Amino acid sequence: MTYLSSNKKHHNAKGIQVSASVFRSFLRYLVMIGKVRAELADCIPAMPGWRAAHLPVFLVKSEIKQLLKACNRHTHKGCRNYAIMLLLVRLG
């Protein structure tokens, strides 16, 4: 566990997740072949790593209004963009 924690500085979240998975698999293998009696794989916790965690969860009403106002609805492309944005806002 200390090894994984210390590597946070040198590896990204996905790399640490893979390392933890490899350690767990190796420890399970050692139990399977009889080299280790205890199930040590349960001692290695799952490493969190959320995709797109930096993205905003939602827009507030004022941001939505500002976004929709940015579309020029006097042109075909602007009307299309407004319709797409409106669908995204309403349907999530």
Side-chain angles (χ1 to χ4, degrees), residues 14-85:
K14 190 65 177 173
I16 294 172
Q17 285 175 334
V18 170
S19 295
S21 177
V22 168
F23 285 137
R24 273 190 237 98
S25 296
F26 180 66
L27 291 171
R28 286 186 187 114
Y29 169 74
L30 291 177
V31 170
M32 187 180 74
I33 64 171
K35 296 289 183 182
V36 177
R37 292 184 189 171
E39 183 61 52
L40 297 175
D42 296 334
C43 297
I44 300 175
M47 298 293 155
W50 298 277
R51 290 182 63 197
H54 61 283
L55 296 176
V57 179
F58 61 90
L59 298 175
V60 295
K61 287 184 180 183
S62 62
E63 291 172 326
I64 292 171
K65 287 180 183 178
Q66 185 178 5
L67 181 67
L68 292 174
K69 283 183 183 179
C71 297
N72 181 4
R73 293 179 15 193
H74 299 293
T75 65
H76 292 293
K77 287 182 181 180
C79 287
R80 179 204 61 198
N81 293 345
Y82 181 81
I84 292 170
M85 300 247 196

